[in-house]
Amino acid sequence: MYFSKKLACLCTLLSASGLVISAPTPNEDVKTAELEPRSLRYPSVDQRLFNINGKTQYFAGTNTWWLGHLFSNDDVDLALSEIAATGYKVTRVWAFGSTNNPATETNVYFQTLNSSGQYFNYNTRNGIARLDYAIAAAEQYGIKLILPLLNNFDDLGGIITYTNVYGGTHQGFYTNVAAQAAYKKYIKFIVQRYKSSTAIFSWELCNEPRCSGCSSDIIYNWAKSISAYIKQLDGNHMVSLGDEGWLTSTSARVPGYEQSYAYTGYEGVDFERNLGIPTLDYGTVHLYPQSWGYNYTWGNTWIEQHNYIGKAAGKPVIMEEYAVPDTEDRVAIMGTWQDTIVNRASLAGDMNWQFGTRFASGVNPFDDFAVYYNTSEFQVLGTGHAKAMAGKNGRSAPLVATG
């Protein structure tokens, strides 16, 4: 998800409190029974589902891109306690954060890239210690984390922070030798730091990678190479691409295929082909009809098409982002998509964009898509849906088969 508006709020309201890294205590508002039991097992693929904490299951989750970029430990604990109380199993947290000029940086950031070199930020107030705390807290609350290692967009230091230093275009990043060497150095820094954590669900190559106008070979070859590199560093955790699920003529046989934007391969991504990469453990798909020029009902088609492809490949697929702005009837629109996921598909899980709450520090990293904890719509789209996904466990198949 492109999220510049979120950062404007975050920059102006971040707390400047200090940090002491320690194992957090679960929020007292959440009963112990509501927390997912801790496990020494790493999440893993089990056919088209995932084994989480020793149980093969469908799951509901959410996105909290900001969790490792908060200055306040209390804010981190509040969010995770509410996520656990909801029944969510997995949340997605940005593990990237680069800057070309640390002297003017107001956000948490994890590395500097500039003409003098590549440096990791160990500052306890605004550096990697913030992600340290978020991961330690997730372990305590029994929540699993998907960690994207790069951003396609400019926010929080995306691909542009590499091309600013190593030259070339956005499209050229994927084959730029110097840029890829720096990216792999950052991957190694993050993966080796956290590879023993049971809170990690998967490493993700990029948030919504795109190579607009490129052959799909570019991202396919890049994903194949980088995912294999991560597997060499860490054989215990899963790896995913983090793409939006764009289709090409490769998938022309899929029911409902049409010659329109999402199916043309314009963004340089071929979901079905990439799903075949052995070192990518599962597929991801995002859903923003209103941004892509489709009506909301088309969202059900998009869900069923990726379920069809995942079934054919024998791999799990996660609906990793989906959202509707708060100006729309979200309960009706998103509720229909959720019904399709629960009753007409066998996607392993889904994660709405994004989780919203009220932080005591006053920080507000949310956008118009946030669904706020404990509101009436959250009771349906959050708590209610998590219960429905948990209810699928033990069912042999969707109520209506879709291929």
Side-chain angles (χ1 to χ4, degrees):
M1 180 64 192
Y2 183 80
F3 59 105
S4 290
K5 287 197 298 182
K6 308 165 199 169
L7 281 178
C9 298
L10 187 59
C11 291
T12 57
L13 293 173
L14 283 172
S15 165
S17 61
L19 169 71
V20 176
I21 295 293
S22 60
T25 301
N27 189 299
E28 293 179 358
D29 292 337
V30 182
K31 298 181 178 65
T32 302
E34 293 174 322
L35 297 177
E36 182 73 11
R38 297 182 205 171
S39 171
L40 296 179
R41 294 189 60 178
Y42 299 107
S44 60
V45 169
D46 187 349
Q47 299 183 63
R48 293 196 61 221
L49 299 178
F50 297 103
N51 187 298
I52 305 172
N53 290 336
K55 178 182 178 182
T56 297
Q57 58 188 289
Y58 293 95
F59 73 86
T62 190
N63 281 265
T64 51
W65 70 265
W66 33 262
L67 196 70
H69 289 262
L70 297 173
F71 282 81
S72 166
N73 293 349
D74 289 343
D75 287 349
V76 173
D77 287 327
L78 175 67
L80 284 169
S81 69
E82 292 174 346
I83 288 168
T86 300
Y88 287 148
K89 307 300 182 186
V90 183
T91 189
R92 189 159 161 260
V93 177
W94 289 176
F96 55 79
S98 303
T99 184
N100 298 130
N101 187 1
T104 61
E105 188 58 63
T106 58
N107 295 305
V108 170
Y109 67 96
F110 306 140
Q111 75 165 339
T112 296
L113 294 166
N114 57 32
S115 58
S116 63
Q118 180 177 13
Y119 309 97
F120 303 128
N121 182 14
Y122 294 98
N123 184 287
T124 57
R125 190 188 74 85
N126 68 350
I128 196 64
R130 299 313 307 141
L131 187 58
D132 289 346
Y133 187 85
I135 291 173
E139 289 178 355
Q140 293 297 311
Y141 287 96
I143 300 299
K144 306 304 181 186
L145 308 178
I146 295 174
L147 297 182
L149 300 163
L150 178 70
N151 196 13
N152 177 71
F153 305 105
D154 295 349
D155 305 280
L156 294 177
I159 286 174
I160 193 172
T161 57
Y162 289 86
T163 58
N164 282 345
V165 176
Y166 303 108
T169 63
H170 183 286
Q171 287 86 345
F173 164 80
Y174 300 100
T175 55
N176 183 314
V177 174
Q180 289 304 303
Y183 173 52
K184 289 173 74 172
K185 185 176 179 180
Y186 182 72
I187 289 172
K188 186 175 182 179
F189 167 64
I190 294 293
V191 171
Q192 290 193 333
R193 191 173 186 87
Y194 304 120
K195 68 179 183 179
S196 64
S197 173
T198 56
I200 308 304
F201 184 86
S202 69
W203 309 111
E204 193 160 272
L205 273 56
C206 184
N207 171 52
E208 300 186 340
R210 295 181 180 183
C211 190
S212 303
C214 302
S215 163
S216 62
D217 290 346
I218 300 295
I219 284 183
Y220 174 83
N221 290 329
W222 174 78
K224 187 175 180 180
S225 172
I226 297 297
S227 60
Y229 175 69
I230 295 175
K231 289 291 189 180
Q232 291 173 1
L233 296 174
D234 176 12
N236 289 322
H237 289 103
M238 296 182 289
V239 179
S240 58
L241 179 53
D243 62 304
E244 295 149 285
W246 305 117
L247 301 180
T248 72
S249 58
T250 301
S251 305
R253 75 190 187 290
V254 175
Y257 177 89
E258 59 180 82
Q259 286 292 340
S260 60
Y261 169 61
Y263 303 88
T264 61
Y266 172 76
E267 301 297 354
V269 176
D270 184 334
F271 171 82
E272 184 165 8
R273 185 184 183 201
N274 294 337
L275 193 60
I277 296 174
T279 44
L280 290 178
D281 293 284
Y282 63 90
T284 62
V285 56
H286 298 182
L287 177 59
Y288 293 95
Q290 73 286 353
S291 299
W292 300 345
Y294 296 89
N295 59 44
Y296 287 122
T297 57
W298 171 83
N300 297 299
T301 299
W302 193 239
I303 292 166
E304 293 187 16
Q305 287 173 329
H306 288 80
N307 179 64
Y308 181 98
I309 294 169
K311 186 174 182 179
K315 279 190 173 181
V317 175
I318 297 175
M319 177 62 68
E320 192 181 57
E321 288 189 27
Y322 62 98
V324 173
D326 58 10
T327 55
E328 304 281 0
D329 185 351
R330 296 198 288 196
V331 170
I333 298 167
M334 293 174 65
T336 299
W337 297 342
Q338 290 181 343
D339 180 72
T340 297
I341 291 168
V342 171
N343 294 316
R344 298 183 60 85
S346 50
L347 299 184
D350 69 277
M351 306 167 67
N352 71 310
W353 182 283
Q354 62 167 310
F355 183 85
T357 190
R358 308 293 181 184
F359 290 126
S361 69
V363 67
N364 180 14
F366 311 114
D367 58 15
D368 295 340
F369 296 106
V371 181
Y372 285 83
Y373 179 71
N374 237 11
T375 58
S376 58
E377 65 177 359
F378 189 89
Q379 293 297 327
V380 178
L381 300 175
T383 309
H385 179 60
K387 184 176 180 180
M389 286 297 281
K392 286 189 72 170
N393 297 315
R395 268 171 39 186
S396 60
L399 296 183
V400 179
T402 57

